[in-house]
Structures are given as structure tokens and as C-alpha cells.
Amino acid sequence: MKQAGKQGTLVPFVIGVTLMGALLGWIVYADELSQDVATNFPTSASGTPLVNPPIDSANISLISQTRDQAETNINAQITNTLYGTPPTSIGMVDTHFTGALLDQGFCGGPETGNCPTDPLLQYGDEKGSVLWAGTFYDQSRKSAASVFLNNLLNPAGVPGITNFQAQMSSNNMSPADVTGSPQTQAAFVQAMSDVTALSIIAAPFAEMMAKRTQVTASGNNPPPAVSQMQVMEQQGMARAMSSTWAASLATLTPQQVQIQQAIMQANQLWLEYERYRQTERVEALLALLALQNLRTSKAVAATVSASAASSNSSSSSSSGSGN
């Protein structure tokens, strides 16, 4: 019976090793989502793969769908900003109190209206936690995240980018719409420049949303829908928060303990890789700040130079008139 108990305990460990082996494929997985993962492994001179862990198709699907979702989020934000219905102050107020969130607004506290009972959704159009709390989005969370991002990146009254909805022909923007007038063309070029910066700002939020969007793998018998954050939380908390696991250590063989160590080390490598990708986004934001500072300093210098030239010209004119 004792041996049977050990075997029963070992089963989830082996499953965990298999899962983490699949997730380790992320470390060598190229961002060319259209390519087969296996073709991206380095090979020796003889063509023999140097590394060839079996990557589960469900995890490949999770990777590609999550990354596609991140790009879709950014694309949707750009499209909405440039061509969507421009936000209005009254629209923001209506959404907050009675809004379009499944017949619920985002009011709370002393405010009244169609206020949600979920504390996360209260003031959900005004607080960042609606993006990063929890591990997956239901429909209410998706709506709340979308409204929050619109309010953050493209609020009514202070739009950062020119909206071209009025210039579109039959809901489609064409080159003729842009080049129809010098003013529209200049505004479009400026909007393209602005949206490049806004896309970098939006990228971290898009990543948060994508990692909390549940996806279903393809196939005849796909596993239940899961988000990347759900996988990360399960792997991160399954042992640290489990008294059952801690108690089971006393019954494990040395080999089974080594299996547990391998699982946790694999998980650590995966998280280090995710942190590296996060660092890239942070570096991009810092680089954007440096670029904006450079542009601002050049604009200030140009203004000061023009002001000085104007002052010198006025002084010369006054001096000439006096003579």
C-alpha cells in the first residue's frame, strides 16, 4: 500500500515535468509565429538536433495564441484611436455610471447608478488593477480593460492623436482620403509618428491582457481553455501553498525528490525567460522617454533660438529708426 501511495504521488510530478518540459520550449521558440517550433532548434554539423525536448502541441498553441492576442490588442487600440468613434465627455460619464459593461457601469462608493457588486469592477474604468488582477478575463473583465485603456490612452477632451473617422470613405481609409488636402496629409503623418510612441506605451498593457486571455488548443480532444497566467500561477503556487505537498515529501524517495527539484528548476528557467521579455518592454519604454526628452529639448532650443533672432531683429529695426 505504501508503494502504491508513492506511485500515486509520483503521477502528478511526472505530469508536471512533462508540462514544464513543454514550457521550456519557449526559451528557444522564435517569435516567427508562422514557423514550426521544431525547426527553430539549433542543430549540429551532422544535422542532429542538439536539443529536442517533446513540445506538446497544446503548449505551442497557448504560446502562439497568446502572442497573437497581444498583437491583436495593440492593433485594436491603434485602429480605435485613429478611426474609431472619437470619445466624448458625456460618453465617458454615461459609461461610468450606467455604461455598456453588461448593463453595468463602473460606479462605486458614494456614486449611484448601475454599479457592479464586484469590487474589482467598481471604478474599473479608472484603475489599473482591472488589467493585472487575477489570472484570466471573463467577459466583464474584457470590457472593463478595454474601457480603461481607452480612457487612459485616448481620453475625451485631450486626444493625443488625430482621429480620421470623418475623412474615411465608406468606413475605409484610402490614400485618396489622406492626400486629398495638405492639411489632412500633414495630420496623418503626424498621427503616424504619434502612434508609434503610443504603441510602445500600449505594449505592456496588451501583454497583461493577452496573458490573461484564455485560449483553447486545437485538435480533436483539446484541453480546457486556459490562460498563460493561470499556468504560471499554478506552477508557482502548487507547492508553496500546499501543505499536502509539504507533507508528502517525507514519503518520497530520493529519485522522486530529484524530480520535484527538476520541475522547480525548469519553472525557474521559464520565469527568467519571461522576465527577460518583460525587461525588453521596460527598456523600450525607457528609450521612448529618452527620445521624447531629446525631442522636447530640441523643440525648446529651436523656440529659444527663434525668440532670440526675433529680438535681435526688433532691436536692429529700432536702432535703424533712431538713426
Side-chain angles (χ1 to χ4, degrees):
M1 294 295 293
K2 184 176 181 181
Q3 182 65 27
K6 288 184 178 180
Q7 292 177 347
T9 304
L10 182 60
V11 170
F13 297 166
V14 174
I15 294 175
V17 170
T18 302
L19 175 62
M20 292 316 302
L23 292 174
L24 273 176
W26 293 19
I27 298 174
V28 293
Y29 179 75
D31 278 334
E32 307 289 340
L33 297 182
S34 61
Q35 296 183 15
D36 180 28
V37 175
T39 64
N40 294 318
F41 286 116
T43 58
S44 64
S46 63
T48 303
L50 298 176
V51 182
N52 191 23
I55 301 179
D56 183 58
S57 61
N59 287 298
I60 295 174
S61 179
L62 174 64
I63 295 168
S64 60
Q65 290 189 59
T66 298
R67 293 182 179 177
D68 280 346
Q69 184 62 47
E71 297 302 323
T72 298
N73 291 339
I74 297 175
N75 293 344
Q77 186 274 319
I78 292 174
T79 299
N80 184 67
T81 299
L82 291 179
Y83 309 110
T85 302
T88 63
S89 297
I90 188 62
M92 291 178 65
V93 172
D94 286 344
T95 298
H96 178 76
F97 285 101
T98 60
L101 176 61
L102 303 179
D103 297 325
Q104 288 184 333
F106 298 100
C107 46
E111 302 173 345
T112 59
N114 294 334
C115 306
T117 57
D118 185 347
L120 178 62
L121 298 180
Q122 293 173 5
Y123 304 114
D125 56 342
E126 302 172 59
K127 63 183 183 184
S129 57
V130 77
L131 286 178
W132 57 70
T135 59
F136 76 96
Y137 289 159
D138 56 17
Q139 189 58 48
S140 297
R141 285 287 300 282
K142 290 179 182 178
S143 299
S146 176
V147 174
F148 170 82
L149 280 182
N150 288 338
N151 290 349
L152 176 68
L153 300 177
N154 191 37
V158 286
I161 298 176
T162 300
N163 183 283
F164 292 97
Q165 190 206 38
Q167 282 76 31
M168 295 174 66
S169 300
S170 302
N171 295 321
N172 291 297
M173 192 68 161
S174 69
D177 296 320
V178 176
T179 58
S181 71
Q183 293 80 7
T184 301
Q185 184 171 323
F188 190 83
V189 170
Q190 182 61 54
M192 291 180 65
S193 177
D194 292 337
V195 84
T196 57
L198 192 63
S199 69
I200 297 176
I201 298 171
F205 302 118
E207 191 78 13
M208 294 175 200
M209 295 173 67
K211 282 184 167 61
R212 289 169 174 81
T213 299
Q214 292 181 320
V215 299
T216 303
S218 59
N220 296 329
N221 297 298
V226 66
S227 72
Q228 183 174 322
M229 283 296 294
Q230 285 179 296
V231 175
M232 295 173 74
E233 182 177 85
Q234 191 276 334
Q235 290 297 318
M237 298 176 63
R239 294 162 187 81
M241 305 297 289
S242 174
S243 58
T244 301
W245 174 79
S248 72
L249 291 177
T251 68
L252 300 182
T253 66
Q255 182 181 16
Q256 290 172 328
V257 172
Q258 289 178 340
I259 291 175
Q260 285 292 291
Q261 292 173 335
I263 293 172
M264 290 184 284
Q265 288 173 348
N267 186 55
Q268 184 64 34
L269 283 174
W270 174 39
L271 292 180
E272 286 296 330
Y273 172 62
E274 285 296 313
R275 274 192 283 269
Y276 175 81
R277 292 178 62 88
Q278 183 183 49
T279 300
E280 288 185 319
R281 295 190 294 273
V282 172
E283 288 178 338
L285 286 171
L286 292 175
L288 176 61
L289 290 175
L291 176 62
Q292 299 289 56
N293 287 336
L294 174 63
R295 288 174 173 172
T296 300
S297 64
K298 291 182 67 175
V300 170
T303 300
V304 171
S305 178
S307 178
S310 177
S311 298
N312 292 335
S313 177
S314 298
S315 299
S316 299
S317 297
S318 298
S319 177
S321 298
N323 289 334

